[in-house]
Amino acid sequence: MAGFRSLARQVRDPGCDLALRRYSLRKCLEKFAPYGHRATWDHLCSRAGFDREDRSPDPARLVAALEELEEGRVVWLGYEGEFTARRRKEKHNGLRRPGSIDDWHRLTWGGFGVAWCDDPRVHPDEPLAEVLRRLIAALEREPGSSCPVCAGVHLVWRYGLDHEPSSGPVCADCGILVPRPVLTPQALQYARREQLLMSA
């Protein structure tokens, strides 16, 4: 199975059939899709300016979408490298039991669904790299009461998400499943209360 870089080369290759170039970009999302496959595809298409169903988009737009995906991937792989080095050092120092951020991180290894958007049409508008920088910054500071991506305070607990965990606080503004470790217990409680009010 082709890796991300091999697929990226096909997207850029003007000698490849346009359908193959588009297909290769879609396959890149099997390797790295911060919002999940469908929402990340929707995001890239809207930012690069071609329709999600367009079978022969402008090659320059395909490459623009790939470049945004690559920039986001560089940010995330940098974070994963630092995470791995930190855990190795902690284990060396005798800290074997991972924390809540580490538990969350195991579910998102490789960058799939780190800012999961259950509704593929509702996702942040900013470039992927910027969204991931904001998320990483939130993971590295004390928990807060708002969405780490858009600073929205309207969080609603949702069940039956097509992701693991299958429930959690979703930002009503940008649509991401907010990682629980970045929120205070009060913010999590507020999100649960909002869900109860909406279902009443």
Side-chain angles (χ1 to χ4, degrees), residues 50-152:
F50 61 93
D51 189 84
R52 293 177 306 126
E53 302 302 324
D54 188 350
R55 300 292 177 205
S56 55
D58 179 347
R61 294 181 189 274
L62 277 179
V63 172
L66 173 65
E67 288 173 350
E68 178 169 347
L69 189 65
E70 287 175 322
E71 288 171 22
R73 185 170 180 262
V74 165
V75 169
W76 187 252
L77 290 179
Y79 169 72
E80 284 193 338
E82 292 172 9
F83 173 87
T84 301
R86 178 180 59 81
R87 281 300 295 142
R88 190 176 297 126
K89 186 177 179 183
E90 287 173 351
K91 287 180 182 178
H92 178 75
N93 292 334
L95 181 62
R96 298 282 175 189
R97 185 168 168 76
S100 62
I101 289 178
D102 302 332
D103 290 339
W104 171 83
H105 194 274
R106 270 194 296 281
L107 299 173
T108 60
W109 191 258
F112 185 82
V114 297
W116 180 262
C117 297
D118 214 52
D119 182 341
R121 297 290 186 114
V122 181
H123 45 73
D125 294 328
E126 295 81 4
L128 286 174
E130 179 58 29
V131 168
L132 293 171
R133 282 187 200 98
R134 292 176 188 176
L135 185 62
I136 290 165
L139 290 166
E140 295 173 343
R141 66 176 177 253
E142 290 298 312
S145 59
S146 62
C147 173
V149 170
C150 72

Side-chain angles (χ1 to χ4, degrees), residues 2 5 11 17 27 40 42-43 52 60 67 92 102 106 115 123-125 134-135 138 142 152 155 165 167 170 194:
R5 285 182 288 202
V11 175
D17 177 71
K27 292 293 281 182
T40 304
D42 189 81
H43 170 84
R52 293 177 306 126
E67 288 173 350
H92 178 75
D102 302 332
R106 270 194 296 281
H123 45 73
D125 294 328
R134 292 176 188 176
L135 185 62
E142 290 298 312
L155 306 176
S167 66
V170 173
E194 283 293 297

